Structures are given as structure tokens and as C-alpha cells.
Amino acid sequence: MSNYNALHKHVLWLGVLGITYANFWLLVQCWTQAGLVFAWEGTLLYGLFGMFILRINFIYSLMYAVLSLVGFAWIIIHYPMYGELGSIKFGFLLCGFAVSLVGVKQIESGFTRFQQVNKKLLYLNQIDPLTELYNRGAMEQNFQRMLSIAARTNTRISVFIVDLDNFKDFNDGYGHLRGDDVIQLQAQILRQIFNRETDMVARFGGEEFVVVSLGNTTAESEAQAARVLAAWQQNNVAHGKGKGQRIVSCSIGLINTEVDKSTEKERLFEMADSALYEAKNRGRARYVSAISCELAPA
């Protein structure tokens, strides 16, 4: 696409320059063949059309203006069709191009700022501000895209739902700032373990996270879940509030499966969520893998 855009701009610039020099040729022919003085204003009009209608960028516009001025200067030097007014007409053309180039530069600068703001807004619309992971809306969109890729390429897909254990008790006992720290730490752990281009990590809401990954076997997915649990053991963040265990932990429900075009992401999410519920029932701080719509034994 970028190569096409560059070629497109180049062709437009050459086209406008070619028409301008064709007009120069006509000026010379009218003067030499019939002694007629042909209007020179068309040169400026062609430039304005190219700069503001065809949207030739500033660099191409500058090159066009320089080459047009060179061509017109050559004509008035070698063919005195405008007499003493030649230099005045050249001055008008020079001023017209100068004003036009200022306008083109301002438009380009404004458009660039608009693109930057638009990209920032798009980023903010997709990213959870606390964890800098995808938010729920972005997760839903990317989940569907990854599911389609998996179905097209016969690639296995894994869905993990990760939930911090007894987080409300931790939040109430230690305060919201410490609670935010724990959520950020969970995000950091998930980023470290699921760091491939085929992994998507998102904050689903509150203390719940979703990971979607392509290309892993069931055993590999379970090994990743085990690494997440081990990371909490290594961090050894004290809990002990309410019903909480001695240290902060998480529970994970996962599904690793093959999919086809009829597979619905809602069904995969439901299976992973059921596995998470079972992990909570079995005492938390563990993972449970759902296989073929049935929960794997502990």
C-alpha cells in the first residue's frame, strides 16, 4: 500500500508538470508560428489544481513550483512575447507559488496533527489505563479475529480466564492503591509469559484477565498456566485478609482446542469460564483445563 501511494503521488506530480510544460510549448508555438501571445495564467492554475485539488504533498509541490518557474523564466528570456512585462509576470507567478506553498505546508501540518490525535484516541479507546493491556472492547474484536485465523489455518487456539483470588478482601484490607499494584503485577506476569505475536492479553474487568493464544498444544497451554501460578508464589505478596490465603494468588480456567468456521467465541469463553469456576471450587490458586466441553480431572 505504501509503495502504491508513493507511485500515485509521483504519477500525479509528473502529470501536472507535464501539462504545465505542454502549456509552455503552446505558448512558444503560438508566438513563433502566429505571433500570438497566449495566456500565461494557466501555469499558476495548473499548480493550484495539483496542490489543493489533487493534494500533491509539499515536497512535490515545491519541486513543481521550481521547475515551472525555471521553464517560464527560460521562455521570457528567449521569446520576448511579453516585452517589458515579462519580469512582472514572472514575479506574479513567483508570488502565487510562494503563497500556495505556504498553504500546502499549513494543510499538511494540520493533517499530520489530526492523524496523531486520532491515533492517540484510538490507542486510548483500546487500552486499559491501569495495566496498559487491551481493554474488554479491544479483546472482543481481537478474539474474533484470532478465532477466524485459527479456523482458516487449522491452528489450535487457547483461551485463558485469569482471576485474582479473594481480591475484594485484599482491596478492603490493604486499600485500593495496593489493590491497583496487585492488578498491575498480574498484568506484568501475563505479559512476560504470553509475549508472542500470536498472544493477546487483556484486562476483562476488575481483577479478571483474558488471554487468547494461537498455536499451542494443550500441554503447552497448561504449562503456561502453571508458570503464572508459580510467578505468584515467587512474588510472595502477603494477603491473609478476610478469606484470603497467606499470599496473593490467582485461579485460571483454560480451554485449548481446534476450531472451525462454526465455532463461536462465546462458547469458548463459556468453557474457559466454567473451568475457572471449577478452579475456584477446588480451593483456588490452581488451573483447570476444559477439554471437549468437559472439565479435566484435577
Side-chain angles (χ1 to χ4, degrees):
M1 181 61 71
S2 59
N3 290 336
Y4 171 80
N5 289 335
L7 180 62
H8 181 69
K9 293 176 182 178
H10 194 65
V11 170
L12 283 179
W13 173 73
L14 286 176
V16 175
L17 185 63
I19 293 174
T20 300
Y21 269 79
N23 185 65
F24 288 160
W25 178 84
L26 186 60
L27 287 176
V28 172
Q29 294 303 310
C30 288
W31 172 255
T32 57
Q33 300 296 326
L36 297 177
V37 179
F38 197 74
W40 63 274
E41 290 85 352
T43 303
L44 182 59
L45 293 178
Y46 298 144
L48 295 177
F49 181 80
M51 295 176 190
F52 296 104
I53 305 301
L54 298 181
R55 297 297 306 276
I56 298 175
N57 65 28
F58 179 77
I59 297 300
Y60 280 101
S61 295
L62 179 61
M63 291 190 296
Y64 168 82
V66 170
L67 292 175
S68 295
L69 289 170
V70 169
F72 190 71
W74 187 87
I75 289 175
I76 60 178
I77 290 173
H78 293 82
Y79 301 97
M81 59 184 73
Y82 300 117
E84 295 180 354
L85 297 178
S87 58
I88 297 177
K89 293 182 183 296
F90 181 84
F92 274 122
L93 190 62
L94 176 63
C95 291
F97 278 141
V99 172
S100 300
L101 289 171
V102 171
V104 170
K105 187 63 176 178
Q106 289 181 336
I107 291 173
E108 275 195 4
S109 299
F111 187 69
T112 299
R113 287 194 297 271
F114 172 78
Q115 285 183 314
Q116 292 172 344
V117 171
N118 192 48
K119 286 181 179 179
K120 186 174 182 179
L121 289 174
L122 182 61
Y123 174 83
L124 293 175
N125 190 49
Q126 292 182 334
I127 300 301
D128 172 65
L130 178 62
T131 62
E132 296 186 350
L133 299 176
Y134 281 125
N135 58 26
R136 181 170 179 171
M139 183 277 292
E140 295 280 358
Q141 294 178 358
N142 284 285
F143 193 166
Q144 186 61 56
R145 177 181 59 82
M146 294 176 73
L147 182 59
S148 299
I149 292 173
R152 267 197 327 269
T153 59
N154 295 317
T155 302
R156 296 184 72 85
I157 189 170
S158 303
V159 180
F160 304 77
I161 301 181
V162 183
D163 189 76
L164 289 165
D165 294 327
N166 297 305
F167 178 74
K168 184 177 184 305
D169 290 333
F170 183 92
N171 218 25
D172 293 343
Y174 292 101
H176 292 289
L177 292 179
R178 288 288 308 278
D180 287 348
D181 290 341
V182 166
I183 289 175
Q184 289 175 324
L185 182 54
Q186 178 69 91
Q188 179 183 335
I189 291 170
L190 294 176
R191 270 196 300 262
Q192 289 173 347
I193 294 172
F194 299 95
N195 55 15
R196 303 177 308 164
E197 291 184 0
T198 52
D199 297 332
M200 177 193 67
V201 183
R203 185 185 181 193
F204 193 70
E207 70 273 22
E208 193 170 51
F209 297 79
V210 173
V211 179
V212 181
S213 183
L214 298 179
N216 291 330
T217 64
T218 299
E220 288 170 337
S221 295
E222 292 179 354
Q224 289 175 312
R227 288 177 60 195
V228 175
L229 300 178
W232 277 113
Q233 294 292 323
Q234 293 169 2
N235 279 282
N236 197 33
V237 179
H239 193 327
K241 298 294 184 179
K243 298 179 181 179
Q245 296 171 303
R246 182 181 63 83
I247 64 172
V248 174
S249 61
C250 70
S251 297
I252 304 172
L254 71 96
I255 172 69
N256 176 283
T257 184
E258 294 179 348
V259 296
D260 56 34
K261 293 181 180 179
S262 65
T263 304
E264 297 180 349
K265 62 178 174 54
E266 290 79 9
R267 179 56 179 156
L268 295 177
F269 193 88
E270 178 185 334
M271 294 166 67
D273 194 49
S274 296
L276 173 65
Y277 183 78
E278 181 66 14
K280 295 286 188 181
N281 283 342
R282 295 184 186 184
R284 296 180 170 84
R286 68 193 63 210
Y287 70 86
V288 170
S289 177
I291 301 175
S292 299
C293 304
E294 297 182 357
L295 295 176

